[in-house]
Amino acid sequence: RADAVVPAVNQVEAHVFWNQARLRTEMQALGVAVVAYTPLGNPAIYGSKLEGMVSDLVTEIAAEAGLTPAQVMLNFLLSQDVIVVPKSVTPS
């Protein structure tokens, strides 16, 4: 509809293993920012060890760049113009 209100932000699950490329393209065309609420992976799906934190690819890139796996994963999304909202459920 021509008179529909377009949201400013669309918050979705997005991370290295599910980068939402098609959705990001559609949102960009509408001028809608994409926010990743699980930029380090979804522990409800991947268990207590987040897949990206132990991924051979991510850990290799992290070691070569002198970064942590989390920094690599966050930077990947930031480089795709995705806003990241990292979260921890543990005090550490």
Side-chain angles (χ1 to χ4, degrees), residues 44-62:
I45 295 173
Y46 304 114
S48 61
K49 286 195 172 185
L50 297 176
E51 185 176 341
M53 299 294 193
V54 296
S55 158
D56 290 341
L57 177 61
V58 172
T59 56
E60 182 178 324
I61 292 169

Side-chain angles (χ1 to χ4, degrees), residues 8 12 15 23 31 37 47 51-52 56 65-66 70 73-75 78-79 85-86 91:
V12 298
H15 43 78
L23 176 68
Y37 66 80
E51 185 176 341
D56 290 341
M73 294 176 73
L74 294 174
N75 188 59
L78 290 170
S79 71
V85 182

Side-chain angles (χ1 to χ4, degrees), residues 23-41:
L23 176 68
R24 286 187 295 105
T25 299
E26 292 172 11
M27 294 297 100
Q28 184 178 28
L30 294 170
V32 177
V34 174
V35 175
Y37 66 80
T38 55
L40 301 177

